[in-house]
Amino acid sequence: MYTTNLDSEIFTKVQRLNKEQKNEVLDYLETIPKVSHSTRLYRRKAMKQIREALKGN
């Protein structure tokens, strides 16, 4: 189901969060600007931001 170590790490950390924290993560994901010209760059930048946000918990 999860194709990368990062996906597994995110899934594991999000599982430990309470309902309010999970909603905050989802809200954060929705605020990431969508860049249509470079999906690879967008994904890399988004994963970096997610990693930094989860590390803060």
Side-chain angles (χ1 to χ4, degrees), residues 17-55:
L17 302 177
N18 64 34
K19 186 176 181 178
E20 183 179 329
Q21 291 170 322
K22 288 178 184 178
N23 287 335
E24 289 175 6
V25 170
L26 292 175
D27 290 343
Y28 173 77
L29 293 174
E30 289 176 356
T31 63
I32 296 173
K34 293 179 175 69
V35 178
S36 61
H37 67 279
S38 178
T39 304
R40 179 181 291 158
L41 179 61
Y42 166 73
R43 177 175 165 77
R44 187 179 327 140
K45 183 176 179 181
M47 290 297 115
K48 181 180 178 184
Q49 291 174 340
I50 292 167
R51 186 183 302 119
E52 290 173 3
L54 290 174
K55 191 181 289 184

